[in-house]
Amino acid sequence: MSAQASQTGHALQRVLTLCGQLNAERELPRLLELIAREGSKILDCERVTIFLLDRERCELISQVTLDGEKIRLDARLGIAGACAMTGQMIKVEDAQQDQRFYTAVDARTSFQTRSVLAIPLRNPADDVIGTFQCLNKRSGSFTPDDEQTASTLAKQAAIAIETANLVQNLTQQRVQLEAENTQLRKEVEGRFSTQNIIGTSDTIQLIIRLIDQIRDSSVDVLITGESGTGKEMVAKAIHYNSPRARRPFVAINCAAMPDTLIESELFGHEKGSFTDAQARRIGKFEEANGGTLFLDEIGDLSPAAQVKILRVLQERVLDRVGGRTSIPVDVRVIAATNADLDHAIKAGRFRTDLYFRLKVVTIHTPALRDIREDIPLLARVFLQRYCQAMGTPQKSFSAGAIRCLAQHDWLGNVRELENEIKRLVVSTRRATIAEEDLSEAVRTAASRPGAPYGSTGRSLKNAVEELEKRLIADALKRCRRNQVQAARLLGLSRQGLIKKMQRYGLKSS
Ligand SMILES: Nc1ncnc2c1ncn2[C@@H]1O[C@H](COP(=O)(O)OP(=O)(O)OP(=O)(O)O)[C@@H](O)[C@H]1O
Ligand SMILES: [Mg+2]
């Protein structure tokens, strides 16, 4: 082997050793420094400078200068620029005699360039990402062997730079996402904390206390109450106040699911377990693992699903539909119903054992007409909230308006009250909301001075409206909230039904 060949082999050997170090370095500035330092030793030159190309601004950026500052220069200038723009290697014996030579950098770095070997840095997709530039060969000039060594080194350096860039971007994104995530979590936890449960009545205060008492345990909970009384709100308050808050809260409406689908929805299924099961699917129980599963309208569960749920509650394991092995799950179950479960049990539609298993901790959310003392506070808080949300100046209620609100029966409960206030914020221009601004049904409640709050002594219009609301709620339930079918059953158009549902604060799903 000739002396020259052995020298080249030696240089390549050193490049190889350097590669190991490059691969281990993920910090871009340190990586560039390492390439420059070791590169100049391997190539026996005074300096190696790495320029990275900023295509958008057509600039070359050098990270390494003597004072640790970055240099930015126009990529159309200088030898390094010509190399990056053409993608060609450039070798210059005497830079001072070369027209392309750009003196400003030398001036900046107090360096005197003599010979230059500039190699384009290319990423694995073959795009030029910068220039690898060797300056002032210590003895003689840059040889073809130097070109080969420098090219090999530049290739490895480009890969390491791309990787470091990628890692840097990912790290930055992760830090940003984590910050966003923490912020969002705080918002969600704040939004669903017990502080947002409004009411000074004993009943509401008792509920708040109970939520606090059970927060650290994983005990399952049954929430009963009419539609719109805050069952889901209570369920979320339990979850977001518990140690499970950082894990998922998963809600499923058992009434909105056909019996045939509910099992696979809850427990998941294995591929091919039934005709259209194309792929394996995780069920809601598994999705909620570590967190809370909210089973809404549990009274509507099919008997088969009831058995399976009982097994999960008792043994904390589940079987996917078509699956052979049991999967352990750690889920707190909060079930809710606005139906009379006792009645469902007597009719044989609900399992007694499941009922007893669930009802250990029961929370009953009161109908709004049973906590009338909370109506003024609720109304004022909602008014303030929606004025703020809609960017309108704050409004207030006249004493008469508050009296009407407190006397109305609110069959749609807090949801109906909330909808009434939302509507008032949009429709009232004056700063004080008066009696006559209220919707007719609410107003008529007060036109019966001294009238009892119950179902007697009300106006015909009021009574008819209440009956109408009950019929709509009932039809929706019977049709599993399918609005087209419910509208048909009631002899209404779908649009007509939706209008009435909105007016009465009935939920669409
Ligand atoms: N005490 C309360 N304080 C503040 N907001 C309340 C209160 N009770 C209910 N709400 C609000 O009323 C609306 C309806 O509540 P939610 O959806 O929890 O009722 P629900 O009992 O689950 O009704 P449904 O049976 O129809 O599903 C929500 O916007 C909720 O935030
Ligand atoms: Mg609900």
Side-chain angles (χ1 to χ4, degrees):
M1 198 193 288
S2 73
Q4 200 180 26
S6 118
Q7 217 172 25
T8 313
H10 184 60
L12 288 176
Q13 187 61 48
R14 287 171 72 188
V15 171
L16 212 60
T17 313
L18 177 58
C19 280
Q21 288 171 278
L22 298 187
N23 286 336
E25 186 53 71
R26 292 283 178 259
E27 288 258 356
L28 191 59
R30 283 217 298 265
L31 179 71
L32 296 174
E33 200 194 301
L34 179 66
I35 300 168
R37 193 180 60 232
E38 296 303 312
S40 62
K41 284 187 208 159
I42 296 170
L43 287 151
D44 191 31
C45 63
E46 284 176 21
R47 182 175 285 187
V48 163
T49 311
I50 294 145
F51 288 98
L52 296 181
L53 181 62
D54 178 344
R55 275 191 190 280
E56 256 170 50
R57 299 166 76 168
C58 195
E59 282 181 341
L60 282 182
I61 306 151
S62 163
Q63 314 268 346
V64 189
T65 62
L66 289 181
D67 50 10
E69 240 183 85
K70 281 186 187 177
I71 297 179
R72 276 187 169 270
L73 29 117
D74 191 324
R76 286 160 298 200
L77 298 174
I79 296 170
C83 170
M85 298 312 272
T86 58
Q88 300 291 323
M89 181 188 84
I90 300 176
K91 194 164 81 168
V92 173
E93 293 276 344
D94 183 359
Q96 308 296 331
Q97 301 302 315
D98 195 289
Q99 281 188 344
R100 291 166 296 190
F101 183 62
Y102 183 56
T103 50
V105 181
D106 267 9
R108 214 19 235 285
T109 58
S110 332
F111 189 79
Q112 187 155 29
T113 305
R114 294 190 313 274
S115 55
V116 179
L117 176 62
I119 315 265
L121 284 167
R122 289 179 185 277
N123 68 9
D126 216 28
D127 303 316
V128 176
I129 60 162
T131 304
F132 178 89
Q133 189 175 247
C134 316
L135 303 175
N136 297 359
K137 179 80 182 171
R138 287 188 193 277
S139 51
S141 40
F142 290 109
T143 62
D145 286 333
D146 288 336
E147 289 169 26
Q148 198 195 335
T149 309
S151 297
T152 310
L153 184 52
K155 206 180 213 164
Q156 298 307 319
I159 295 171
I161 290 168
E162 280 275 292
T163 312
N165 262 332
L166 211 67
V167 171
Q168 199 176 36
N169 288 347
L170 284 176
T171 312
Q172 260 170 13
Q173 277 172 17
R174 206 188 65 195
V175 169
Q176 202 178 340
L177 282 176
E178 272 171 6
E180 270 175 31
N181 197 283
T182 312
Q183 177 61 25
L184 284 174
R185 268 190 195 290
K186 268 199 202 137
E187 268 178 46
V188 171
E189 280 164 26
R191 224 173 92 208
F192 297 119
S193 88
T194 43
Q195 281 165 13
N196 291 306
I197 303 181
I198 305 159
T200 52
S201 60
D202 290 347
T203 325
I204 295 293
Q205 287 302 311
L206 213 69
I207 291 177
I208 293 174
R209 239 172 296 148
L210 189 57
I211 295 173
D212 278 338
Q213 276 165 15
I214 59 172
R215 54 185 280 168
D216 291 330
S217 78
S218 279
V219 63
D220 300 319
V221 182
L222 176 66
I223 307 174
T224 61
E226 287 181 17
S227 183
T229 50
K231 295 186 294 296
E232 183 153 352
M233 180 189 70
V234 167
K236 284 183 174 157
I238 295 172
H239 173 77
Y240 287 106
N241 281 291
S242 77
R244 294 174 176 266
R246 302 202 145 225
R247 307 287 302 158
F249 174 90
V250 178
I252 179 166
N253 186 333
C254 305
M257 283 275 146
D259 288 353
T260 45
L261 280 187
I262 189 85
E263 279 182 65
S264 97
E265 191 71 19
L266 282 172
F267 308 105
H269 59 242
E270 292 297 340
K271 189 176 171 183
S273 52
F274 49 92
T275 37
D276 47 355
Q278 303 277 328
R280 204 188 85 173
R281 178 155 176 230
I282 298 285
K284 298 284 182 193
F285 263 103
E286 275 178 87
E287 207 180 296
N289 206 4
T292 304
L293 180 65
F294 179 54
L295 294 173
D296 207 0
E297 311 218 13
I298 188 140
D300 288 287
L301 265 187
S302 69
Q306 288 179 34
V307 179
K308 283 195 150 192
I309 286 193
L310 186 64
R311 174 162 141 84
V312 183
L313 294 184
Q314 283 171 341
E315 297 167 35
R316 301 286 158 187
V317 289
L318 61 81
D319 307 298
R320 291 199 190 114
V321 175
R324 292 212 186 94
T325 47
S326 297
I327 300 159
V329 279
D330 164 28
V331 171
R332 164 186 243 163
V333 171
I334 304 182
T337 178
N338 54 22
D340 184 356
L341 281 187
D342 285 326
H343 185 75
I345 288 168
K346 278 191 200 118
R349 278 183 288 110
F350 202 81
R351 293 181 68 99
T352 326
D353 43 9
L354 178 58
Y355 177 60
F356 282 107
R357 184 68 188 65
L358 282 173
K359 69 169 248 180
V360 182
V361 175
T362 305
I363 295 177
H364 179 70
T365 49
L368 191 52
R369 59 187 174 283
D370 293 332
I371 44 162
R372 284 184 195 278
E373 66 266 46
D374 284 336
I375 294 178
L377 179 63
L378 277 161
R380 289 193 177 107
V381 174
F382 288 146
L383 186 63
Q384 193 191 8
R385 187 182 293 168
Y386 287 109
C387 283
Q388 196 174 3
M390 291 176 197
T392 53
Q394 288 297 327
K395 296 181 196 295
S396 60
F397 291 109
S398 72
I402 284 286
R403 203 174 50 243
C404 279
L405 293 170
Q407 285 181 357
H408 185 58
D409 271 353
W410 301 109
L411 289 188
N413 295 299
V414 184
R415 185 182 295 112
E416 188 186 3
L417 174 66
E418 200 175 344
N419 287 350
E420 172 77 8
I421 311 286
K422 254 190 248 178
R423 192 191 61 78
L424 285 168
V425 170
V426 179
S427 65
T428 317
R429 290 186 156 251
R430 281 171 296 173
T432 306
I433 295 172
E435 235 171 294
E436 56 267 30
D437 296 321
L438 305 177
S439 55
E440 209 181 326
V442 180
R443 231 166 30 210
T444 46
S447 63
R448 307 173 268 116
Y453 296 134
S455 56
T456 51
R458 62 187 56 210
S459 71
L460 178 62
K461 185 171 185 340
N462 213 338
V464 168
E465 281 189 353
E466 279 175 21
L467 179 64
E468 187 173 61
K469 190 193 286 182
R470 286 219 172 103
L471 288 173
I472 292 173
D474 190 48
L476 281 167
K477 196 155 187 192
R478 279 171 57 193
C479 300
R480 293 187 176 279
R481 307 207 84 83
N482 181 320
Q483 292 172 357
V484 178
Q485 283 176 19
R488 202 175 301 143
L489 198 71
L490 292 161
L492 291 171
S493 69
R494 180 158 182 245
Q495 279 313 315
L497 174 66
I498 289 171
K499 265 200 193 135
K500 283 183 193 290
M501 284 168 67
Q502 282 167 349
R503 179 152 143 231
Y504 295 136
L506 293 166
K507 261 196 329 185
S508 53
S509 64

